[in-house]
Amino acid sequence: MKILITGGAGYIGSTIASVLEDNGHTPILLDSLVTGRREFVRDRIFYEADIADRAMVRRVFSDHPDIFATIHCAALIVVPESVTRPYEYYKENVVKSMEFFRLLSELGYNRVVFSSSAALYDVVPGFMVTEESPLRPNSPYSRTKYMMEMILSDFCSAYNLKGIALRYFNPIGADPKMRTGLHIQFPTHLIGKLVEVALGREPVFYLTGVDWPTRDGSGIRDYLHVWDLARAHLNAVERFDSVIEAEASVGTPYSVINLGTGKGVTVKEFIAAFEKVYGQKIPVSIRPARPGDVAGAFANADKAARLLGWKAELSIEQGIADALRWGQVRDRVIHY
Ligand code: UFG
């Protein structure tokens, strides 16, 4: 099947493209390359354009009228940047996505898989969240994802769209075949920082926050291998109609699904796993929590198992090993 992936030159979009290709499908990539990488597009069918470029989106569908579904990954994703540049975030992630969905509906390409985020959730006792858990997006970035979920749901009930919103927890690792991986040159997130220290690009790892009400005081998250995350999209498109059918009782052809391992891991536990894979100690220095940080959450992933027939299979150690390998090859794949 042909599947359109917006943001197909990004970290997650390009991994989804590899999973689809490896399973006999044809990804069609649309990416503005504002943050995506040309190196990830390689010999794939690729349109260099913004999702708001109506003429180009029309051309994509007229060139490939047999596109079965659209996976909409394109977005700005940096939380602190969203605090200082909210206009750009609401414009790129909300305004443009809304117009894009409108155009998909006009053109009659009505199957949409949307990249949402676990950043939407409020902190709950025990830290495990189901799709019904309370939401409290606490940054402009996460509010854009929240708004887009609502817009997609409303469009699905009013127009001819059908939507599956996938709430991603924390992806780690890279394509196990090292075709793609995280392309941010100076990462700020946990695995990115640990790799920087391991590869000698930074002298020390700062553990931000040790006073959370978790089992060891450090933040808790659900780290899943990006390959597993990408595989969930394969299942989402292959089972699209049955997922929507399963939600028929709700009345709207729209479904929200958590994508996580179902296991909470603290930062201290993650560092221990990292050191085991890396084979050496990482110098760690304690710092206060980052502005806007939260204790965290991990997924109840039962709905993904039930509706997508998917569960995470790769271990955290595999994710760490692949992130380390990618850290070593990255500068040969990407030409900054
Ligand atoms: N952490 C450190 N030191 C660092 C970086 C992170 O101790 O140098 C800690 C954080 O305090 C937190 C945990 O590691 O407790 C995870 O932090 P990340 O930045 O890796 O992940 P977050 O869950 O905080 O945020 C990420 C993305 C967001 C996204 C969110 C939910 O950065 O863009 O996941 O999907 F919104």
Side-chain angles (χ1 to χ4, degrees):
M1 294 191 294
K2 284 185 182 169
I3 309 291
L4 175 61
I5 308 174
T6 73
Y11 170 49
I12 295 172
S14 65
T15 316
I16 296 170
S18 296
V19 166
L20 291 175
E21 252 174 21
D22 290 1
N23 285 275
H25 300 299
T26 306
I28 315 280
L29 311 184
L30 177 71
D31 199 301
S32 64
L33 298 186
V34 169
T35 54
R37 299 298 314 186
R38 191 177 294 281
E39 295 90 337
F40 290 174
V41 169
R42 298 181 300 119
D43 47 359
R44 290 173 175 157
I45 301 169
F46 171 55
Y47 294 83
E48 183 177 344
D50 196 278
I51 54 165
D53 183 340
R54 292 175 69 86
M56 190 60 105
V57 173
R58 282 179 186 278
R59 207 186 110 194
V60 171
F61 286 104
S62 73
D63 288 353
H64 305 281
D66 49 343
I67 287 174
F68 177 77
T70 300
I71 300 176
H72 179 38
C73 298
L76 299 177
I77 59 159
V78 183
V79 173
E81 183 186 58
S82 78
V83 176
T84 53
R85 301 175 62 208
Y87 170 77
E88 282 78 6
Y89 274 70
Y90 287 113
K91 183 174 176 198
E92 298 299 321
N93 293 5
V94 179
V95 175
K96 288 186 179 179
S97 292
M98 187 174 80
E99 292 300 332
F100 179 66
F101 287 169
R102 176 78 172 155
L103 184 54
L104 290 181
S105 150
E106 277 170 29
L107 295 173
Y109 288 91
N110 60 5
R111 295 185 190 87
V112 178
V113 175
F114 175 63
S115 300
S116 189
S117 170
L120 262 57
Y121 287 113
D122 200 354
V123 177
V124 299
F127 306 111
M128 188 184 78
V129 290
T130 71
E131 291 79 359
E132 312 304 321
S133 291
L135 303 179
R136 192 159 69 95
N138 68 350
S139 70
Y141 162 73
S142 48
R143 283 189 277 276
T144 67
K145 292 292 178 184
Y146 180 60
M147 288 178 187
M148 282 320 301
E149 281 199 6
M150 291 191 294
I151 289 170
L152 181 56
S153 166
D154 287 343
F155 277 24
C156 289
S157 71
Y159 311 130
N160 62 344
L161 286 185
K162 297 169 186 174
I164 302 176
L166 300 175
R167 291 188 182 148
Y168 304 166
F169 283 72
N170 294 53
I172 58 170
D175 168 22
K177 291 189 187 153
M178 296 294 124
R179 286 166 285 194
T180 59
L182 190 72
H183 54 290
I184 315 276
Q185 206 173 1
F186 304 107
T188 58
H189 65 309
L190 175 60
I191 180 83
K193 282 284 184 196
L194 286 169
V195 170
E196 292 288 289
V197 176
L199 298 182
R201 295 180 190 142
E202 290 201 21
V204 62
F205 174 78
Y206 296 109
L207 168 48
T208 48
V210 289
D211 300 315
W212 299 110
T214 58
R215 50 187 172 259
D216 60 19
S218 64
I220 191 163
R221 301 287 189 277
D222 187 335
Y223 299 96
L224 81 160
H225 199 297
V226 69
W227 189 256
D228 277 332
L229 180 69
R231 275 198 313 104
H233 294 72
L234 170 72
N235 293 26
V237 293
E238 287 187 343
R239 296 176 178 226
F240 194 97
D241 293 342
S242 71
V243 170
I244 295 298
E245 186 60 33
E247 298 277 9
S249 59
V250 184
T252 301
Y254 173 74
S255 186
V256 175
I257 303 176
N258 282 344
L259 295 182
T261 65
K263 227 181 106 199
V265 173
T266 69
V267 179
K268 287 181 183 170
E269 290 163 354
F270 194 93
I271 295 170
F274 190 93
E275 288 175 335
K276 208 173 89 198
V277 174
Y278 174 51
Q280 288 180 53
K281 282 276 178 204
I282 292 286
V284 174
S285 169
I286 309 271
R287 287 283 156 96
R290 305 170 300 185
D293 237 344
V294 288
F298 65 94
N300 174 309
D302 293 353
K303 193 171 176 187
R306 186 162 45 86
L307 293 189
L308 300 179
W310 171 91
K311 67 180 176 54
E313 287 170 358
L314 300 174
S315 65
I316 220 172
E317 286 78 13
Q318 179 75 51
I320 291 167
D322 287 336
L324 272 166
R325 275 206 297 148
W326 173 255
Q328 279 154 344
V329 303
R330 186 193 73 181
D331 291 357
R332 289 201 292 277
V333 177
I334 298 181
H335 310 290
Y336 290 109

